[in-house]
Amino acid sequence: MAISAAEIRKLLKSEDVRFLRLQFTDILGHDKNVEVPISQFEAALDGKIAFDGSSVQGFSRIEESDMLLKPDYNTFLILPKSIEDDQYGRVARLICDITHPDERPFVGDPRGVLKRQVERLRALGFDEMYAGPEPEFFLFQRDDDGAPTTITQDSAGYFDLGPVDRGEEARRDMVNALVDMGFHIEAAHHEVAPGQHEIDFKYEDALTTADNIATFRLVVKKIALNHGLHATFMPKPVLGINGSGMHTNLSLFRDGKNAFYDPKEEYQLSSTALSWIAGLLEHAFGMVAITNPLVNSYKRLTPGYEAPTNIAWSAANRSALIRIPAGRGVGTRVELRMPDPACNPYLALGVMLSSGLDGIERNLVPPPPIQRNIYEMSVRDRRRHKIKELPGTLLDALVALRRDRSVQEALGEHITRHFLNAKSTEFDDYRVTVHDWELDRYLAEY
């Protein structure tokens, strides 16, 4: 429901809000904020609060560093006490777009990437892309100094319950806080690995979903801290167990109807759905650096741990990159299984949207679906079906991004350049570091 600046002013006063948090993200998906007191509420609502963009990853050069925070009024909410202790006064937040002082949109704003793709979507005659993410995370213990460890608090497995699942209380507090903030929570449960959890919230339009993912991660981390735990969205924090993914369900609507559904076609999937699938498959190489942006992401994307490594689609099994869940009619959707919860949600949903739309614009046709378990197929079978594998490292993914002009155009030259530079440096740091595995393997032997 839309809300005006006047309505926000009334709420700020009636709820005795003392601080207003203006929130945004850098290109790596890290949440940032500028917090202002009551005296600056008017300036904040008018989009007049400035900050130094040269200090934020991937934003601007020092000579053009001044940036303005333009609030999206529809993201206004007053934070519950479980998130912000109100001993110093209540706190509200607004998610902001980034502009230059002359109010031109800043091309390096990740939120702007997604908004531009939504505009492209509507120019093609569609109403909206809806996205339903399934973010997983781990809860770990902290040491005596409060630093996070990789020691889990339980040995539970998929759908286990207390007392085996020792994360129930923290998870319930997370759910309660999210509900207080307007989330529609659909399910919360223990995942496959010890200490691993999932909280699913209802699908929304693409921009709202990206905002919700950013908010979700903050809430989960804060509530975990309240319980003396550390919540991490790192994709593969522990060797030998399942990593954390963020399967994302996508659907398009036109004239109020699901554009992916056609009861007369095979699998009840429309030509629009098939072209969307083909676009995602064609650009999987190019967008995986965005949807899976860490060196660690590619330790999750390995066979044997339920993470997809094969570029294929299926109307049934979960071994393919893209799965079509059973629901049809208004619930017809495409599940992209490779993203992980460390991604920048604005960039990730932006490249998913751009890749699907490229398939639609070019009338691409996907290869036949693979209904067998791809993990159990021989190398010869995979070659016969022309099944390729996702990049095996972040370096390979960055090379693929450099070759995909469509994904680069969706991101824009500024973000593409800064992202590639930052991630190339990250991989090089990893490459030159001497790891414990090397010492254990080589130090005594050689």
Side-chain angles (χ1 to χ4, degrees), residues 26 28 63 82 84 89 130 133 162 176 180 191 234 240 246 363-364 378:
D26 66 13
L28 302 184
E63 63 267 26
S82 56
E84 285 295 335
Y130 288 98
N176 286 335
D180 288 344
E191 259 294 339
M234 181 179 177
M246 189 178 72
N363 294 312
L364 297 182
S378 67

Side-chain angles (χ1 to χ4, degrees), residues 247-264:
H247 304 155
T248 305
N249 294 273
L250 306 169
S251 60
L252 288 186
F253 276 67
R254 190 202 300 267
D255 299 326
K257 297 179 180 179
N258 191 317
F260 285 173
Y261 177 60
D262 187 338
K264 298 178 182 178

